[in-house]
């Protein structure tokens, strides 16, 4: 008997940001190194996490990445079991944390008349409603469930509870890239529901996991929220704000993309240094981020600060 009740098992399915690593059209030194198979520079698929309350309870995906087919192909637990029905999946629900392409395009690959529940804020579900291609997810099979912020809810699958409980909360962020209007007021923090973090627990379990793959800055509300968590999986998109320009691959800063940098006075290392958290793991890592190279000084800096760098297939059982 576990004194603390059932726990939450996590598998990182994709630890890269949008584009993946290497990105298809990127010739920057890091993508080159990953493409060439250089030791210490692991390729990574796009941003997604799987969670389960234990053996036989099925899995919930947090974000559906464009690489979902490959992620399922390389994760045995997400495949139909040998004695399962002819068409079946252990994936019972999907939760979206925003409407960016790297987090929802994988839904299109889940279109084979397979029942699952789809949870997101009303705002993110409205983006799906507004894009007719998502009608390939037949509502007779895929139930879209709008979730209000700041209230825990049971993550049910079509045939009952998964044993997991989630709570969605707003984090500083912006609308999806393809919905930007060019007006800061409309694009940034126009809706508290555009970018969210998730607290994941299990029914009756004492462990809590925070999953925040996109975050523009650490504010007091976020600090208060994650305090005491067992695991924090956090936005590791860029190491420095101007990294993409310095690499010569684009003009946008991390902040302009809605992602705070790791380094700097108000970067994640400094802002979260005093937080009481069991394990802290960077995810959603962009292909320009030097921490992708295990031999880099930046990698040494984040590890010395107590952070782990997430990788595909990383399993965490808090
Ligand atoms: C982001 O996290 O900023 C987005 O995934 C960017 C994109 O859609 O490519
Ligand atoms: Mn992204």
């Amino acid at each position: 008997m576990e004194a603390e009740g059932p726990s939450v098992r996590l598998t990182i399915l994709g630890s890269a940001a949008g584009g993946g690593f290497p990105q298809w059209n990127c010739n920057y030194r890091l993508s080159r190194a990953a493409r060439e198979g250089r030791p210490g520079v692991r390729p990574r698929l796009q941003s997604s996490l799987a969670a389960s309350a234990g053996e036989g309870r099925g899995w919930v995906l947090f974000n559906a990445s464009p690489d979902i087919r490959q992620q399922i192909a390389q994760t045995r637990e997400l495949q139909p079991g040998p004695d399962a029905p002819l068409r079946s999946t252990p994936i019972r629900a999907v939760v979206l944390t925003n409407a960016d392409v790297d987090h929802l395009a994988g839904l299109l690959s889940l279109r084979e008349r397979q029942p699952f529940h789809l949870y997101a804020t009303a705002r993110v579900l409205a983006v799906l409603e507004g894009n007719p291609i998502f009608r390939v997810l037949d509502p007779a099979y895929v139930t879209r469930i709008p979730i209000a912020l700041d209230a825990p809810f049971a993550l049910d699958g079509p045939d009952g509870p998964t044993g997991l409980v989630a709570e969605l909360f707003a984090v500083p962020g912006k609308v999806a890239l393809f919905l930007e209007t060019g007006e800061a007021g409309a694009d940034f923090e126009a809706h508290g529901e555009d970018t969210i973090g998730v607290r994941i627990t299990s029914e009756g379990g004492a462990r809590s996991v925070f999953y925040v793959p996109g975050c523009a800055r650490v504010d007091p509300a976020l600090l208060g929220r994650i305090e005491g968590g067992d695991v924090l999986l956090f936005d590791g998109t860029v190491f420095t704000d101007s990294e993409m320009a310095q690499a010569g691959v684009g003009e946008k800063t991390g902040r302009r993309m809605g992602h705070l940098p790791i380094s700097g006075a108000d970067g994640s290392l400094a802002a979260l240094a005093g937080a009481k958290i069991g394990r802290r793991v960077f995810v959603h890592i962009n292909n320009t981020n030097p921490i992708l190279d295990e031999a880099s000084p930046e990698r040494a800096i984040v590890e010395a600060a107590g952070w782990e760098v997430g990788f595909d297939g990383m399993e965490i059982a808090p």
Side-chain angles (χ1 to χ4, degrees):
M1 270 282 287
E2 285 178 63
E4 290 172 325
S7 196
V8 183
R9 285 173 57 191
L10 305 171
T11 301
I12 294 179
L13 302 179
S15 51
F21 182 58
Q23 179 174 304
W24 72 283
N25 64 343
C26 185
N27 215 10
Y28 183 53
R29 63 175 179 85
L30 289 169
S31 282
R32 288 195 70 84
R35 205 172 277 126
E36 288 162 6
R38 217 181 78 200
V41 187
R42 292 184 195 226
R44 285 168 158 82
L45 298 173
Q46 294 170 82
S47 178
S48 180
L49 174 74
S52 173
E55 202 64 38
R57 308 295 309 263
W59 291 82
V60 177
L61 302 190
F62 292 83
N63 293 318
S65 107
D67 300 321
I68 195 166
R69 183 182 172 283
Q70 188 178 345
Q71 289 165 331
I72 293 170
Q74 58 196 41
T75 311
R76 193 187 47 77
E77 293 89 340
L78 299 182
Q79 300 164 6
D83 303 321
L86 205 47
R87 288 291 175 95
S88 67
T89 175
I91 298 169
R92 302 177 62 201
V94 177
V95 180
L96 302 177
T97 65
N98 64 17
D100 269 325
V101 169
D102 57 344
H103 285 163
L104 55 68
L107 292 174
L108 300 175
S109 298
L110 301 180
R111 67 188 177 282
E112 310 293 347
R113 294 161 66 95
Q114 184 67 49
F116 65 93
H117 279 5
L118 177 58
Y119 297 95
T121 63
R123 167 73 185 153
V124 168
L125 289 182
V127 176
L128 299 184
E129 293 294 334
N131 283 269
I133 195 169
F134 289 103
R135 288 185 204 151
V136 297
L137 293 179
D138 184 341
Y141 296 90
V142 179
T143 310
R144 301 179 186 189
I145 304 171
I147 298 296
L149 300 179
D150 304 321
F153 62 99
L155 280 166
D156 293 341
D159 49 356
T162 66
L164 293 174
V165 174
E167 181 175 352
L168 311 186
F169 53 92
V171 298
K174 68 169 187 63
V175 299
L177 179 59
F178 62 89
L179 294 176
E180 288 186 9
T181 61
E183 294 168 34
D187 294 344
F188 288 87
E189 302 180 33
H191 303 266
E193 295 193 349
D194 280 310
T195 305
I196 55 134
V198 194
R199 177 173 187 259
I200 309 165
T201 54
S202 57
E203 279 163 12
R207 303 290 191 182
S208 60
V209 173
F210 289 91
Y211 176 52
V212 186
C215 183
R217 74 179 176 276
V218 175
D219 60 11
L222 180 60
L223 273 178
R225 174 85 62 172
I226 62 176
E227 183 74 7
D230 294 285
V231 181
L232 171 66
L233 298 148
F234 195 73
D235 184 338
T237 308
V238 292
F239 189 82
T240 47
D241 198 36
S242 59
E243 174 181 299
M244 288 182 54
Q246 281 167 13
V249 301
E251 304 82 45
K252 277 189 190 169
T253 61
R255 285 202 176 80
R256 172 64 188 77
M257 297 190 297
H259 300 289
L260 85 174
I262 291 175
S263 65
D266 50 4
S268 51
L269 285 192
L272 294 167
K276 190 169 157 285
I277 305 161
R279 283 174 75 172
R280 47 192 82 202
V281 183
F282 282 123
V283 292
H284 194 278
I285 306 165
N286 193 51
N287 45 65
T288 50
N289 191 327
I291 66 171
L292 289 167
D293 180 351
E294 291 169 21
S296 67
E298 293 84 358
R299 177 66 163 250
I301 289 169
V302 301
E303 288 178 349
W307 285 80
E308 297 171 72
V309 177
F311 55 90
D312 299 5
M314 182 180 189
E315 295 182 1
I316 303 172

